Amino acid sequence: MRLDELNAQERRLWDAFPKGRPVDLREDPSTSDPVVRSEVVAALLLGANADHDPGDRPALRLTGAHLTGRLDIGFTEVAVPVRLTDCRFDAAPLLQGARTRELALTGCVLPGLLADTAQIDGRLVVSHCTLTGPLALTRTQVNGDLDLRDTVVRFPAGEAIAAVHAQVGGDALCANLDVEGTFRLSGASIEGEFDLEGASLRAPGGHALDAYHIRVAEDFTCHPGFSAEGRVILSGATVAAAIGFCGARLSNPGDIALEAVDVTVDRNFDLGLGLTVDGTVKLDGTRVGTELSFRDAELTRQDGTALSLRATQARETDLRTRRPIDAVVDARNARLGTLYDAQETWPTDLRLADATYETLAFPLPAAQRVHWIRRTTGDYIPQPYEQLAAAYRRLGHEDEARTVLLAKQRHRRATLPPHTRLWGHVQDVSVGYGYRPLRAGLWLLALLACGALYFAQHTPAPLEAAKAPPFNAVFYTLDLLVPIITFGQEPAFGPRGPGQWLSYALITAGWILATTVTAGVSRTLSRQ
């Protein structure tokens, strides 16, 4: 390139380049539109002005320029840092396959930036910029930080930011990022923190954030102020520290708002402290190293499932939401560790089939906890009752455990045919299905008192007067009630009239009590 072909702004840049001096064209009063051709910038970056003194550090530092044409340095190697501030581009720069030391665009306006498969040895900064086209970073390798703070990207027709399988050696700084379109970085690897604090992602009806199988070596932070319209996908992600959505707003009405299936989080997964969600939160198969929290979150779903925790694992789980979830909370097959909840925020429909928890942080009386289990529209399932009873036993509350298991039998009875249900009522009234053994003793005492009083006043006639022992109303009634022992009274006397019918009733009651007690004992032994 010939020097006499350069305009005044380009000549200033040309002369400043060898020593890396900054050039600010906003200070030039001679023109309102400081034009710099992109081909001049490309020529400098590719060695057009290589003459410099020993010790000089060439760099391209340009502020306030209007870059015409297209800056194309694709598949080249740029040995100097590039810093462009408050510049305006006519065409999206092409950096595919390029290798640069550092690239920093600050406050620039661009129709897009295409840097697929590029390699940045230092930082890649696209901060406080406005892009009216896509930011393409697929398979780009950034050895330092990726800085997208306060940048606006508008590409609602497709992927506004595409960073599929990108590799970031430092932090991904996306605070206050404003994206219209999909932000896709599936398969990406970030060796530091992924910070989306205050970011706004909008792709209504589509994928606002697609971070499928992303790997983050530190925190994945989406709080406070983060908002997303459309689906947020974290499925398959691995996060070595914590994930946080405190104070965030997620909206995808009638569909999945947060899809985090099979995620592995070494520390906390915090979805509370002001999080609001319009749509479904799906965390099936996710493994949380410490606490999974929905404390003070607000989840809304018009119908269907608002929160899915199927096969989720956590050391602690906090379900104390800001208000009750008026939809399905599906925790089937989940391992919830220590479970925190509050009666005033129990969900409308709670599904706990095959869910387990080590302990309840707030056990509550068993009668109330039974209502917690029954908050489901599904069929009768015994396991939630058995799990709750086991939790009470671990706390040493055996009476509460029996109350839960009695409620299980009553729930089961409601599903049986009428004739079988009748026998269940007999077992319930008599001995509480074996979980109320004292009830059998009370029935026995009541029947014994009734029989003894009657036969004391209406002594039955002896069958053989010479052989009959002295009549004793109490032991005669015991002979009738207890079928497995005899005191010699019942075979020696024969009642007549009402006494005969009373004896039949006492014999029948004795057999019923014996049968139900035996069934209860057998059930207890089988549990143990």
Side-chain angles (χ1 to χ4, degrees):
M1 177 169 289
R2 294 168 50 187
L3 295 182
D4 57 4
E5 296 177 344
L6 303 179
N7 62 31
Q9 293 81 23
E10 293 168 348
R11 184 57 188 261
R12 285 183 58 191
L13 180 63
W14 187 278
D15 293 339
F17 175 79
K19 297 185 179 297
R21 294 194 305 267
V23 175
D24 189 347
L25 300 182
R26 296 173 301 181
E27 302 170 350
D28 189 350
S30 62
T31 178
S32 59
D33 186 20
V35 171
V36 174
R37 288 173 294 166
S38 295
E39 60 182 292
V40 175
V41 174
L44 287 171
L45 296 179
L46 299 179
N49 188 9
D51 296 331
H52 55 83
D53 297 330
D56 288 345
R57 297 182 179 180
L60 193 144
R61 297 182 172 91
L62 177 62
T63 300
H66 173 194
L67 278 78
T68 60
R70 186 184 298 275
L71 177 60
D72 185 356
I73 54 173
F75 301 100
T76 63
E77 183 167 346
V78 177
V80 299
V82 180
R83 298 178 184 175
L84 303 173
T85 304
D86 294 336
C87 292
R88 178 164 54 92
F89 291 76
D90 283 348
L94 300 178
L95 283 78
Q96 292 104 324
R99 179 174 183 179
T100 69
R101 297 294 181 265
E102 178 183 82
L103 177 62
L105 306 177
T106 305
C108 297
V109 178
L110 308 92
L113 175 61
L114 308 179
D116 296 328
T117 69
Q119 180 176 333
I120 316 296
D121 292 339
R123 299 181 305 152
L124 174 58
V125 178
V126 186
S127 178
H128 294 85
C129 294
T130 299
L131 281 72
T132 56
L135 173 58
L137 300 173
T138 296
R139 297 189 181 277
T140 297
Q141 180 178 335
V142 181
N143 293 332
D145 294 340
L146 172 62
D147 188 350
L148 304 180
R149 287 177 292 184
D150 297 286
T151 284
V152 177
V153 184
R154 298 276 187 267
F155 192 64
E159 294 181 359
I161 302 178
V164 178
H165 292 290
Q167 298 180 36
V168 179
D171 297 328
L173 305 173
C174 301
N176 302 316
L177 176 66
D178 187 345
V179 179
E180 186 174 352
T182 297
F183 184 2
R184 186 179 180 210
L185 37 79
S186 53
S189 175
I190 300 171
E191 297 302 322
E193 177 184 4
F194 187 12
D195 182 11
L196 283 161
E197 178 179 335
S200 176
L201 311 180
R202 296 182 301 283
H207 295 168
L209 175 64
D210 183 354
Y212 178 77
H213 266 287
I214 191 174
R215 188 184 69 82
V216 182
E218 295 182 16
D219 290 332
F220 189 137
T221 306
C222 295
H223 60 243
F226 174 82
S227 66
E229 296 180 32
R231 184 177 298 197
V232 174
I233 301 175
L234 304 182
S235 295
T238 301
V239 180
I243 299 178
F245 280 86
C246 295
R249 293 185 297 108
L250 308 180
S251 177
N252 197 22
D255 203 344
I256 297 174
L258 174 59
E259 179 187 316
V261 176
D262 293 327
V263 173
T264 300
V265 188
D266 287 356
R267 289 168 52 196
N268 296 342
F269 198 155
D270 200 338
L271 291 156
L273 297 178
L275 170 69
T276 59
V277 182
D278 186 358
T280 297
V281 175
K282 187 175 183 181
L283 305 182
D284 297 351
T286 288
R287 294 167 295 281
V288 181
T290 52
E291 183 182 34
L292 172 61
S293 177
F294 294 90
R295 179 75 180 272
D296 197 36
E298 183 175 344
L299 278 62
T300 304
R301 175 71 194 253
Q302 294 300 321
D303 51 40
T305 300
L307 174 59
S308 182
L309 299 174
R310 299 186 64 174
T312 299
Q313 301 177 32
R315 187 181 302 172
E316 296 181 358
T317 305
D318 195 333
L319 296 179
R320 291 175 290 179
T321 53
R322 183 184 306 171
R323 54 175 57 93
I325 298 174
D326 190 16
V328 176
V329 173
D330 189 349
R332 287 177 287 178
N333 296 103
R335 298 181 182 178
L336 304 176
T338 300
L339 179 59
Y340 295 80
D341 67 350
Q343 186 175 5
E344 60 271 17
T345 61
W346 283 347
T348 301
D349 189 342
L350 177 62
R351 302 184 181 179
L352 291 169
D354 296 317
T356 60
Y357 39 87
E358 296 300 322
T359 186
L360 294 165
F362 310 106
L364 299 177
Q368 296 179 26
R369 278 292 174 190
V370 167
H371 290 298
W372 176 63
I373 292 177
R374 295 293 295 272
R375 299 175 79 86
T376 178
T377 57
D379 297 331
Y380 161 73
I381 300 173
Q383 187 273 339
Y385 292 96
E386 294 164 359
Q387 169 63 39
L388 180 57
Y392 277 118
R393 284 201 182 98
R394 283 193 290 269
L395 294 172
H397 299 166
E398 185 62 34
D399 289 344
E400 303 283 28
R402 286 197 295 267
T403 298
V404 172
L405 295 173
L406 176 57
K408 179 188 80 168
Q409 292 299 328
R410 289 172 175 169
H411 191 178
R412 174 179 175 272
R413 183 178 68 210
T415 67
L416 298 175
H419 65 282
T420 310
R421 205 179 307 158
L422 177 60
W423 176 241
H425 280 292
V426 172
Q427 293 189 78
D428 192 354
V429 171
S430 58
V431 291
Y433 286 97
Y435 301 114
R436 297 290 184 263
L438 290 179
R439 193 177 294 176
L442 295 175
W443 276 106
L444 183 63
L445 289 175
L447 292 171
L448 178 61
C450 291
L453 287 172
Y454 180 86
F455 289 117
Q457 299 176 16
H458 304 84
T459 303
L463 297 177
E464 296 183 34
K467 297 180 180 181
F471 180 76
N472 185 300
V474 173
F475 286 100
Y476 180 75
T477 306
L478 278 175
D479 262 354
L480 296 173
L481 281 172
V482 184
I484 58 175
I485 61 173
T486 179
F487 294 98
Q489 293 283 312
E490 187 268 337
F493 297 90
R496 297 288 185 270
Q500 186 176 14
W501 289 106
L502 178 58
S503 67
Y504 293 158
L506 291 173
I507 292 171
T508 302
W511 277 107
I512 291 175
L513 284 173
T515 304
T516 53
V517 168
T518 302
V521 171
S522 299
R523 190 178 295 113
T524 302
L525 291 176
S526 65
R527 289 198 315 271
Q528 295 175 347

